[in-house]
Amino acid sequence: MCGIIGYIGSKQATPLIMEGLRKLEYRGYDSAGIAIFDSDHIDVIKQKGKLSALKRRLEGLHLEGQIGIGHTRWATHGEPSEVNSHPHLGGQERIAVVHNGIIENYRSLTERLEAKGISLASQTDSEVIAQLAEYYYDGNIVSTSIKVAHRLEGSYALGMLSLDDPDVLVALKKDNPLIIGVSEAGNFIASDVPAILRHTNKVYYLDDKEVALLTRNGVRFFNFDGEVIEKCLETITWSMDSAEKGGYPHFMLKEIMEQPRVLEDTLQSTLSDSANKQVLENLDLSGYTKVVITACGSAYNAGVVARYVIESLCRLTVEVELASEFRYKDPLVDGKTLVILISQSGETADTIAALREARAKGAFTLAIVNVVGSTIAKEANTCLFTAAGPEIAVATTKAFSTQLVLLYALALRFAEARGALAPEQLAACKAEIATLPGKVASLLEQVDTLQKYAASCVGYKSIFFIGRNIDYAIALEGSLKLKEISYIHSEAYAAGELKHGTISLIEEDTLVVALVTNERLFEKTMSNVEQVISRGAKVLLIGNCPGVQPNEKLTFVSLPACFELFSPSLSVIILQLFSYYVAADKGLDIDKPRNLAKSVTVE
Ligand code: F6R
């Protein structure tokens, strides 16, 4: 949600900032802007629309300067417009600010500024920061920024430039991510690693209530009391290519295709001598009376899958809660509850709040996160890392799949600790999980069939996803994937629930995607399939379909044989490809769906 970038060094800042913004565009894309420090003034260029619009605007402008900040916006306060875009300047045009987050007390701060004769130009909550910074300016941008921070309520990652402090760039944060990258050619601030990976893999993770003072040659850190602090320089292991499309038309397709490799990497991390293996081995899983999984969106759906897996393998109660609900419901968790947080970014505001709530209530928290150094990774009692690499497409694919395999590994560890599975059952499960990357690779060879089928589905106004038990869990993900990138209305239902209301929506040529990996429940789900077909629906059947013959109303995609509990790792591949190709056929901007952004750092 909003991406910020800043650079100070020996190169021209504009191209570096524009390149960084391109990598951050997944965080917001309704407007963008940059500010460049030019000896006696700050040039600010802003533009409504995608980054390409700002790029066109900059053509022929030749902004000169080696210090700058940039922003790509996902509007929260104030419509997408030029005036509401960042960077924001104070009234005297001496300080420029980019902000990711929400300033909750911006109205009262604005009133106080207005009482002093300072009026604001935009409708944003962010401009107040630039105006306050000029108002409180004391000759030193670090102490000024701290003074401002003490007056802000809410969340913020900030980059600041001051005309009166040439040769420095300031960054500070609370509850929103910010990294500082260092390189010989200069130093960077950024919301996320891909923005700077081409220039450096050496970063500092800024913690809450810390300030970074960047010069051309170095970085110093302070706490909000203005005291100097030391921080550890970390090395990012992601390769430069991992943040590029690599010849694919969209990041989403590239990320779908990467799944065999990242699944293998994630599985290896639970077996080889790596951090995940240690974490799993060190987990004391005795004494828990229940497990609560909390997350948002697709990560929540991964939690729903895990509920079936853990309950089935470990015979232990698992509750799954949307993090946005969990945080405000005074949840029933305590020292005997294991709370699992799942998050690709590790920065989702609701999941962070759920984590803090669980910890405050004495629960042990285990996070499953993709981004090392993220808030959730740091604040959870312990953390397993998915080895998905950077995920750029807004719709998650490979991160979801790697979350599933870590959840399977965790379930097996739990089953082992509780003695819920015999050694040979445990070994069989492990062997089955090891086959998943290969099976996923074989499914990805069916791309052409899926592409053709999807092309025939672009006209549907509404598509339903049904399944029972674990198939229902993965139906939720199929439905979310489709609606977010194709804009086709979609719902997921437990197949047995259809007749309790939803079946009234089924009419001639409605499409129903039915998941049938569950042998035990195959006939039951097939009865539901018959019910919708007899009301005119067309059905795409995904799973193991013995004896089923395709016909005009029924198409099916077979999955390789697999233990039912791990079948979501296979069915989800078909669902991802289906959504992708429907959206591609509609010619939509798949990596940046309307109204959405990756890493939802606001409530
Ligand atoms: C859907 C999607 C979102 C995220 C959700 C949580 O494709 O990507 O629903 O799963 O916003 O994000 P993380 O996992 O970063 O906490």
Side-chain angles (χ1 to χ4, degrees):
M1 298 252 138
C2 299
I4 68 179
I5 170 111
Y7 170 76
I8 175 164
S10 55
K11 298 186 174 179
Q12 284 301 318
T14 306
L16 294 179
I17 288 171
M18 288 302 288
E19 182 198 328
L21 287 179
R22 188 170 63 80
K23 297 282 167 46
L24 292 173
E25 215 185 352
Y26 67 86
R27 301 177 70 91
Y29 29 88
D30 55 41
S31 52
I34 72 170
I36 301 292
F37 187 105
D38 188 0
S39 56
D40 60 351
H41 67 281
I42 301 172
D43 280 315
V44 176
I45 311 289
K46 316 201 265 189
Q47 180 66 47
K48 182 180 166 184
K50 294 211 168 118
L51 194 61
S52 48
L54 177 66
K55 193 164 169 245
R56 281 195 297 279
R57 178 92 183 269
L58 288 174
E59 274 161 18
L61 282 182
H62 303 300
L63 292 187
E64 294 283 328
Q66 296 166 332
I67 310 173
I69 50 181
H71 188 272
T72 176
R73 181 168 185 244
W74 188 87
T76 57
H77 295 65
E79 57 169 12
S81 67
E82 195 169 314
V83 68
N84 287 337
S85 312
H86 301 221
H88 289 287
L89 278 170
Q92 298 157 44
E93 303 193 351
R94 304 202 73 76
I95 293 182
V97 171
V98 283
H99 169 222
N100 167 208
I102 289 186
I103 304 305
E104 288 164 1
N105 61 336
Y106 81 100
R107 281 199 183 83
S108 63
L109 292 171
T110 303
E111 279 163 19
R112 273 155 62 185
L113 284 167
E114 280 171 352
K116 294 179 192 309
I118 301 167
S119 54
L120 277 71
S122 74
Q123 293 89 51
T124 65
D125 56 327
S126 307
E127 185 192 342
V128 74
I129 304 168
Q131 300 289 2
L132 277 178
E134 283 192 352
Y135 179 75
Y136 284 117
Y137 188 70
D138 61 6
N140 176 324
I141 189 66
V142 172
S143 56
T144 301
S145 67
I146 293 172
K147 230 177 260 171
V148 171
H150 282 306
R151 279 151 187 86
L152 301 178
E153 287 167 22
S155 60
Y156 48 85
L158 298 173
M160 276 191 198
L161 282 182
S162 160
L163 211 46
D164 299 298
D165 301 72
D167 286 331
V168 302
L169 183 60
V170 167
L172 53 157
K173 82 158 215 114
K174 182 182 154 279
D175 290 339
N176 269 312
L178 205 53
I179 56 167
I180 312 298
V182 295
S183 80
E184 284 189 358
N187 300 314
F188 296 84
I189 65 171
S191 299
D192 203 354
V193 171
I196 58 171
L197 204 50
R198 177 167 286 280
H199 307 286
T200 181
N201 64 350
K202 300 278 183 236
V203 302
Y204 294 98
Y205 292 100
L206 207 59
D207 285 316
D208 278 355
K209 301 192 177 179
E210 290 181 352
V211 185
L213 176 68
L214 287 79
T215 60
R216 290 173 204 269
N217 306 316
V219 189
R220 281 187 296 149
F221 297 97
F222 304 86
N223 61 23
F224 273 14
D225 293 326
E227 295 160 345
V228 174
I229 52 171
E230 295 299 323
K231 290 191 67 74
C232 246
L233 188 62
E234 316 230 5
T235 303
I236 304 287
T237 53
W238 291 349
S239 74
M240 217 162 69
D241 295 347
S242 57
E244 304 291 339
K245 273 191 211 154
Y248 286 96
H250 299 101
F251 275 109
M252 184 175 173
L253 186 59
K254 177 189 177 228
E255 289 163 5
I256 290 173
M257 293 300 175
E258 281 174 351
Q259 289 178 106
R261 183 175 53 77
V262 297
L263 284 176
E264 188 63 53
D265 291 349
T266 305
L267 279 174
Q268 279 307 318
S269 75
T270 65
L271 305 172
S272 59
D273 199 16
S274 81
N276 279 348
K277 184 170 181 236
Q278 306 251 306
V279 168
L280 285 167
E281 279 175 2
N282 293 341
L283 276 177
D284 177 4
L285 294 169
S286 56
Y288 291 118
T289 52
K290 72 170 175 182
V291 173
V292 175
I293 303 177
T294 181
C296 302
S298 291
Y300 168 85
N301 295 339
V304 181
V305 172
R307 175 173 61 201
Y308 287 99
V309 179
I310 299 174
E311 286 194 341
S312 170
L313 294 180
C314 314
R315 308 311 301 157
L316 181 68
T317 304
V318 181
E319 292 167 7
V320 193
E321 298 269 10
L322 293 165
S324 53
E325 289 295 310
F326 179 91
R327 63 182 292 186
Y328 291 122
K329 73 183 275 253
D330 192 10
L332 291 171
V333 298
D334 57 22
K336 290 195 164 174
T337 318
L338 173 67
V339 175
I340 302 174
L341 297 305
I342 309 171
S343 175
Q344 186 282 128
S345 62
E347 298 294 350
T348 299
D350 285 321
T351 314
I352 294 173
L355 162 66
R356 291 178 182 162
E357 178 70 13
R359 287 202 67 165
K361 287 195 141 57
F364 184 82
T365 54
L366 163 71
I368 295 183
V369 171
N370 193 41
V371 179
V372 176
S374 59
T375 305
I376 294 174
K378 282 191 197 152
E379 291 192 17
N381 293 107
T382 190
C383 187
L384 291 167
F385 287 101
T386 47
E391 194 179 59
I392 311 285
V394 163
T396 183
T397 52
K398 61 176 180 168
F400 177 85
S401 288
T402 54
Q403 286 161 0
L404 289 187
V405 294
L406 280 189
L407 287 160
Y408 303 156
L410 183 64
L412 291 183
R413 174 74 186 82
F414 231 133
E416 192 176 17
R418 291 169 60 83
L421 288 181
E424 56 279 12
Q425 290 173 305
L426 208 54
C429 285
K430 285 183 184 167
E432 181 72 38
I433 292 172
T435 66
L436 291 175
K439 288 176 181 167
V440 168
S442 73
L443 282 172
L444 289 172
E445 284 164 14
Q446 300 189 28
V447 162
D448 291 348
T449 324
L450 252 305
Q451 187 170 6
K452 267 191 219 121
Y453 179 76
S456 69
C457 298
V458 292
Y460 288 112
K461 293 230 162 357
S462 196
I463 297 181
F464 294 90
F465 290 74
I466 61 168
R468 286 172 185 260
N469 285 194
I470 204 149
D471 285 335
Y472 165 56
I474 208 66
L476 292 170
E477 177 60 7
S479 168
L480 178 60
K481 209 86 307 170
L482 181 81
K483 72 183 101 175
E484 71 179 317
I485 60 167
S486 75
Y487 314 150
I488 294 177
H489 169 259
S490 159
E491 303 284 342
Y493 287 96
E497 185 64 15
L498 272 183
K499 57 189 172 296
H500 297 290
T502 314
I503 202 161
S504 64
L505 293 174
I506 305 291
E507 51 189 357
E508 199 61 31
D509 285 345
T510 305
L511 180 64
V512 176
V513 178
L515 290 130
V516 284
T517 67
N518 188 324
E519 211 181 307
R520 192 171 43 100
L521 298 172
F522 177 73
E523 294 302 342
K524 302 274 177 211
T525 308
M526 284 311 289
S527 305
N528 303 124
V529 167
E530 290 304 331
Q531 287 157 13
V532 294
I533 287 181
S534 58
R535 282 157 183 84
K538 286 194 171 159
V539 172
L540 169 65
L541 211 56
I542 301 172
N544 311 309
C545 323
V548 176
Q549 292 301 323
N551 58 44
E552 195 214 331
K553 289 281 188 189
L554 189 73
T555 307
F556 70 75
V557 177
S558 304
L559 300 178
C562 177
F563 285 7
E564 173 194 316
L565 286 175
F566 309 135
S567 67
S569 292
L570 305 183
S571 38
V572 78
I573 304 296
I574 304 299
L575 297 171
Q576 292 167 352
L577 287 169
F578 174 66
S579 301
Y580 173 80
Y581 282 116
V582 171
D585 226 76
K586 289 180 82 175
L588 297 171
D589 191 352
I590 294 179
D591 287 337
K592 298 189 278 285
R594 71 182 175 210
N595 303 338
L596 287 171
K598 207 165 182 74
S599 192
V600 185
T601 54
V602 296
E603 266 195 65

